[in-house]
Amino acid sequence: MDFRTQIPIQKQQHNLVDYHSKVLLLGSCFVENIGDKLSYYKFQTLQNPFGVLFHPLAIETLITNAINDKEFTEDDVFLHNELWHYFGANSKLSSPSKEELLQKLNQQTVTTKQWLNSASHIVITLGTAWVYRYIEKDTIVANCHKVPQKRFQKELLSVDAIVQSLEAILVLINEYNPKTQVVFTVSPIRHLKDGFVENTQSKAHLISAIHQVVNKRQNYYFPSYEIMMDELRDYRFYAKDMLHPNETAIDYIWERFQNIWIADDALPTMKTINEIQKGLQHKPFNSTSEAHQVFLDKLELKKSAILEAFPHIVF
């Protein structure tokens, strides 16, 4: 007897991810869970060059700026709480130095453009349809950077507004790199600071909009949100905050993603890399013992074999 329902997902038949692929990951913090798995197995990836971006308009702005070679100047940044910030980036890029922040922004813009041009796959994960409009300049921001909330107006993006943004993203990507494959997903992380009903409404808007776009174009939707809500519908799959998927849930969703999007011929390499990664993390009882030296020699042989096949891999 089966005590759960499993979402049926067919393995993709074309353009699967292998060790020659380049995967650009953009969006909410859940995209970094998938990105970290890909990085662990040494796939070629770039994730969130401007940090976590929760809503589609922020991702659209990033892609637009990158493709149009935007050069950031002091007019784009501001000082708050002794740090320089940019409203279109996550706080991890913020800096006590204005010049350092501008350098980061311009360098990450160049890097993003390079990856948009060369990526075989682009994974876009949307987290919320709730956005904050900076009243003074009438612009929607990606991050408020702890600027007082009275300076923002909170808004819920309509389904039509999200569709329009996603369509713009796809036009930009397809014109610049028509060979890339775009995969959409919705983050299973619950944004309960918006409210329980409001979080559900937000996710519904995102899912409705994505499916309108996916149905029009040859793009794909990976149901990470549905897997978490349906297959893993139990609080034992959540972290202590009861909002984020825990390690078990992330591993399970990654396994589903791997079964669908990772090429079969990449699996033996993944297995060897996993052995190497665990070997590198191994802490011996006696680092000078003969047994440990034999272990290290075998580890080096495995690394050499991988690097010979894929010189771009770095351990």
Side-chain angles (χ1 to χ4, degrees):
M1 184 177 289
D2 193 350
F3 289 98
R4 68 186 178 113
T5 53
Q6 188 170 36
I7 297 171
I9 318 174
Q10 291 184 342
K11 189 176 185 73
Q12 298 301 320
Q13 300 301 312
H14 307 287
N15 200 20
L16 294 168
V17 176
D18 60 24
Y19 279 93
H20 301 290
S21 302
K22 297 187 72 175
V23 185
L24 173 62
L25 303 108
L26 302 171
S28 83
C29 43
F30 181 74
V31 82
E32 299 194 339
N33 296 143
I34 298 296
D36 288 345
K37 292 291 187 182
L38 289 166
S39 296
Y40 174 85
Y41 288 104
K42 298 299 178 181
F43 289 95
Q44 299 180 81
T45 65
L46 174 68
Q47 56 177 294
N48 280 340
F50 271 52
V52 169
L53 302 175
F54 293 101
H55 62 77
L57 297 184
I59 298 170
E60 180 187 352
T61 299
L62 168 61
I63 293 173
T64 302
N65 288 343
I67 291 178
N68 292 331
D69 297 312
K70 177 178 174 61
E71 183 173 353
F72 289 90
T73 67
E74 61 182 16
D75 292 334
D76 297 301
V77 299
F78 66 95
L79 183 66
H80 179 67
N81 287 341
E82 301 182 28
L83 288 174
W84 286 90
H85 307 278
Y86 166 55
F87 275 132
N90 188 271
S91 296
K92 79 173 189 178
L93 270 72
S94 299
S95 171
S97 164
K98 177 173 63 176
E99 291 72 22
E100 182 182 19
L101 173 59
L102 291 173
Q103 183 180 10
K104 286 180 185 178
L105 294 173
N106 287 317
Q107 180 56 56
Q108 292 299 75
T109 299
V110 171
T111 301
T112 302
K113 182 173 183 176
Q114 292 170 345
W115 274 79
L116 285 168
N117 181 53
S118 61
S120 58
H121 300 77
I122 300 176
V123 180
I124 296 177
T125 298
L126 303 182
T128 183
W130 288 102
V131 298
Y132 288 86
R133 185 180 297 274
Y134 185 48
I135 297 171
E136 182 179 326
K137 294 190 175 181
D138 193 29
T139 56
I140 291 176
V141 303
N143 194 297
C144 295
H145 299 296
K146 298 184 179 180
V147 173
Q149 191 162 352
K150 65 183 180 182
R151 298 176 68 180
F152 298 92
Q153 178 178 316
K154 186 176 180 180
E155 302 175 7
L156 179 67
L157 293 175
S158 68
V159 174
D160 288 342
I162 299 169
V163 168
Q164 185 177 352
S165 180
L166 297 182
E167 289 280 10
I169 288 171
L170 290 173
V171 167
L172 286 166
I173 291 173
N174 291 331
E175 287 183 354
Y176 194 60
N177 180 2
K179 295 182 179 179
T180 195
Q181 180 66 67
V182 179
V183 181
F184 288 106
T185 186
V186 170
S187 170
I189 297 168
R190 301 188 299 162
H191 291 252
L192 294 189
K193 65 180 181 180
D194 295 321
F196 284 83
V197 174
E198 291 81 358
N199 173 69
T200 301
Q201 187 180 15
S202 166
K203 300 292 188 185
H205 281 210
L206 296 176
I207 293 168
S208 296
I210 288 174
H211 282 292
Q212 287 190 40
V213 171
V214 167
N215 290 338
K216 290 180 185 177
R217 299 172 178 268
Q218 293 300 312
N219 300 294
Y220 294 88
Y221 177 73
F222 174 70
S224 56
Y225 176 81
E226 290 79 0
I227 291 171
M228 189 72 197
M229 295 297 108
D230 204 311
E231 293 189 39
L232 306 179
R233 51 164 66 200
D234 192 302
Y235 276 108
R236 73 178 185 270
F237 296 114
Y238 282 88
K240 289 182 179 179
D241 63 4
M242 295 296 146
L243 302 176
H244 291 74
N246 64 16
E247 187 174 347
T248 301
I250 292 169
D251 287 346
Y252 181 81
I253 296 173
W254 160 251
E255 185 179 311
R256 298 299 307 274
F257 183 88
Q258 175 184 307
N259 291 340
I260 297 163
W261 277 105
I262 304 297
D264 290 340
D265 58 9
L267 299 180
T269 303
M270 290 177 66
K271 182 175 182 295
T272 302
I273 288 176
N274 186 40
E275 293 170 355
I276 294 171
Q277 294 281 52
K278 289 181 176 179
L280 292 172
Q281 296 169 8
H282 175 68
K283 295 182 179 180
F285 290 109
N286 182 359
S287 60
T288 62
S289 68
E290 183 178 347
H292 183 62
Q293 296 310 309
V294 171
F295 169 80
L296 292 178
D297 289 342
K298 289 182 178 179
L299 193 61
E300 284 302 316
L301 287 174
K302 290 180 180 179
K303 287 171 62 178
S304 297
I306 290 293
L307 295 177
E308 185 177 350
F310 305 105
H312 63 269
I313 290 179
V314 177
F315 287 102

